[in-house]
Amino acid sequence: MQTELADFIRDTPQGREADAILRKCVHCGFCSATCPTYQLLGDELDSPRGRIYLIKQALEGAPVTARTRLHLDRCLTCRACESTCPSGVQYGRLADIGRAVVEERAARGAWDRLKRAALAFALPRRALFTAMLRLGRQFRFLLPGIIPAPAAPAGDWPPRRHARRMLALAGCVQPALAPRINAAAARVLDRCGISLIDAPGAGCCGALRFHLNFQEQGREDMRALIDAWWPYVEGGEVEAIVMTASGCGATVKEYGHLLARDPAYRDKAARISAMTRDLSEVVPAAALPKAAGRQRIAFQSPCSLQHGQQLRGEVEALLERGGFELTPVPDAHLCCGSAGTYSILQPELSRQLRERKLAALQGGQPAAIATANIGCLTHLGAAAEVPVRHWIELLEEALQR
Ligand code: SF4
Ligand code: SF4
């Protein structure tokens, strides 16, 4: 694709990166076939190719309107288009650059700004979110399907007793919504000879605010998390950083890129990214006893796992080792509609995608749905006919049987 970026961005690092990405796109449109919003809306401007064109126009200095922003807002950043693209177009990175420019040039209405600011303020603050959730649960009967049910208790966290140690990310909303996930991960890894440890003060990974287009505030969260982890990393106390939420994992693996222009943090960020692993990459299948029993479950592979981190098959192999029979899931590459705060900001599209996803997941008559990301778990769990659990919780229960 030929480009002629405008003066305001041409010679900036963002401009050079966007230009290189745009030039890779040959406008073939293969990506449209796997884009959830194009499938729902059938509008070229709600396809990856259409959005790339809108971003190109914005970077070339064409007028940016609320309509431009609407089509970018409707994008889930699921990155299914990246998995499909034969030319290696990094749509997600281009979207980050394009969204920052569009945000500056097409002002949002007051209500939209307020909603986004409230989400960016409340969600990354673990104590505040936990208090709000506790309060909301008192009135759950008024908002069925919106306020999640109380979660199972975490259970015991094993003591540090192994020479092999890895850091866990507690995260922002997960400890309140599903405290058992990280504890189950710690117990399973403990059985495999690995101690999982928590760093005090480690909070949000920054994905929430970054993807709400509060990009600089998202980077502040990233720097704060690096600071909390660094003593463990610098001293060689841990061999890896483990993510139990694939959404966080996709972001932390990109720290090296996202902080590349920050001289104080770029080296640390690159090292953190290089050490980061999804939980499915560190649970050694061979160390697990091969479990008997054939409970049928469906696995929902989050976009942040299969497209963001390009991990496919790892969780499935571990679940099969745990004795689960995985039911077939058609269109497994399509987003469930959760996508961070998308389910709140684009509720109608999100609901339609959830209906499609649940029909696909439940079509094989599973006893439960397994997933790898807290956002998908909460979003699907609000409407599913069967329990939706993190795969590590199901695996732990199978190993105990
Ligand atoms: S992003 Fe990739 S698949 Fe989509 S139009 Fe461009 S080159 Fe084709
Ligand atoms: S990231 Fe997802 S929703 Fe956005 S353009 Fe790509 S496939 Fe479509």
Side-chain angles (χ1 to χ4, degrees):
M1 189 188 278
Q2 293 297 310
T3 56
E4 203 167 323
L5 299 201
D7 291 347
F8 78 92
I9 196 155
R10 187 188 305 117
D11 295 322
T12 65
Q14 294 92 325
R16 282 190 284 273
E17 185 184 9
D19 196 54
I21 297 172
L22 285 167
R23 283 171 181 273
K24 277 189 174 178
C25 176
V26 294
H27 241 56
C28 63
F30 288 161
C31 48
S32 298
T34 55
C35 174
T37 55
Y38 183 68
Q39 287 201 0
L40 285 182
L41 299 163
D43 182 339
E44 171 71 10
L45 294 180
D46 285 309
S47 76
R49 185 171 61 176
R51 290 180 177 124
I52 288 169
Y53 188 66
L54 288 172
I55 293 168
K56 175 179 181 289
Q57 283 186 313
L59 301 184
E60 288 182 337
V64 172
T65 66
R67 206 166 155 67
T68 316
R69 204 190 53 233
L70 171 73
H71 294 295
L72 294 188
D73 280 353
R74 282 184 186 158
C75 168
L76 296 134
T77 326
C78 66
R79 294 168 65 184
C81 46
E82 287 189 22
S83 293
T84 313
C85 176
S87 305
V89 171
Q90 291 173 298
Y91 171 85
R93 290 187 177 180
L94 182 66
D96 289 342
I97 297 167
R99 280 175 165 148
V101 169
V102 169
E103 194 77 36
E104 272 180 20
R105 300 188 157 212
R108 293 181 184 277
W111 174 234
D112 197 11
R113 271 185 285 139
L114 184 68
K115 262 191 307 189
R116 287 169 168 267
L119 291 168
F121 182 80
L123 294 182
R125 291 176 164 82
R126 192 187 307 161
L128 175 62
F129 178 76
T130 304
M132 285 167 45
L133 185 65
R134 211 170 278 151
L135 183 67
R137 279 176 174 149
Q138 308 297 317
F139 301 97
R140 193 166 171 262
F141 62 96
L142 295 173
L143 299 165
I146 294 181
I147 308 287
D156 294 335
W157 191 288
R160 285 182 206 189
R161 61 190 179 114
H162 299 296
R164 291 189 68 192
R165 289 181 179 171
M166 297 184 185
L167 262 182
L169 172 63
C172 47
V173 298
Q174 184 168 297
L177 290 168
R180 199 170 180 83
I181 295 174
N182 275 18
R187 291 188 290 267
V188 171
L189 286 176
D190 184 65
R191 289 173 72 129
C192 303
I194 299 167
S195 286
L196 193 63
I197 57 177
D198 230 350
C204 180
C205 70
L208 270 168
R209 298 211 280 181
F210 191 85
H211 292 302
L212 275 165
N213 230 347
F214 290 85
Q215 294 191 3
E216 201 35 53
Q217 291 91 328
R219 286 194 175 90
E220 282 168 19
D221 293 337
M222 296 172 198
R223 293 185 190 102
L225 187 52
I226 291 172
D227 287 343
W229 278 340
W230 195 246
Y232 298 84
V233 170
E234 191 182 25
E237 192 179 337
V238 294
E239 64 182 86
I241 302 172
V242 180
M243 300 288 137
T244 55
S246 58
C248 306
T251 299
V252 179
K253 285 184 176 183
E254 293 266 300
Y255 274 14
H257 170 72
L258 293 166
L259 294 172
R261 292 191 275 276
D262 179 339
Y265 278 85
R266 67 177 163 228
D267 294 341
K268 291 179 181 179
R271 186 153 161 209
I272 294 284
S273 289
M275 291 177 71
T276 298
R277 301 283 181 275
D278 182 73
L279 179 60
S280 61
E281 295 179 277
V282 299
V283 174
L288 300 176
K290 209 165 177 349
R294 304 301 299 172
Q295 190 189 22
R296 285 166 61 82
I297 60 168
F299 178 58
Q300 181 259 348
S301 180
C303 302
S304 44
L305 190 71
Q306 59 169 317
H307 305 307
Q309 299 185 56
Q310 294 288 314
L311 292 175
R312 301 187 188 100
E314 283 82 353
V315 176
E316 292 90 325
L318 288 164
L319 287 170
E320 281 171 352
R321 177 105 191 164
F324 293 98
E325 180 185 340
L326 298 181
T327 59
V329 180
D331 292 330
H333 60 281
L334 287 180
C335 181
C336 70
S338 169
T341 53
Y342 192 91
S343 56
I344 301 168
L345 297 170
Q346 300 287 339
E348 185 48 33
L349 290 176
S350 171
R351 187 190 58 73
Q352 290 180 42
L353 289 170
R354 179 168 65 186
E355 272 173 21
R356 288 184 179 204
K357 179 58 77 179
L358 284 175
L361 288 165
Q362 292 173 165
Q365 310 293 317
I369 295 168
T371 184
N373 190 45
I374 185 65
C376 311
L377 188 155
T378 312
H379 179 63
L380 293 171
E385 290 161 13
V386 294
V388 183
R389 313 275 307 278
H390 193 286
W391 63 268
I392 196 70
E393 295 179 273
L394 293 170
L395 184 63
E396 185 193 27
E397 287 166 15
L399 295 173
Q400 286 165 350
R401 281 198 282 272

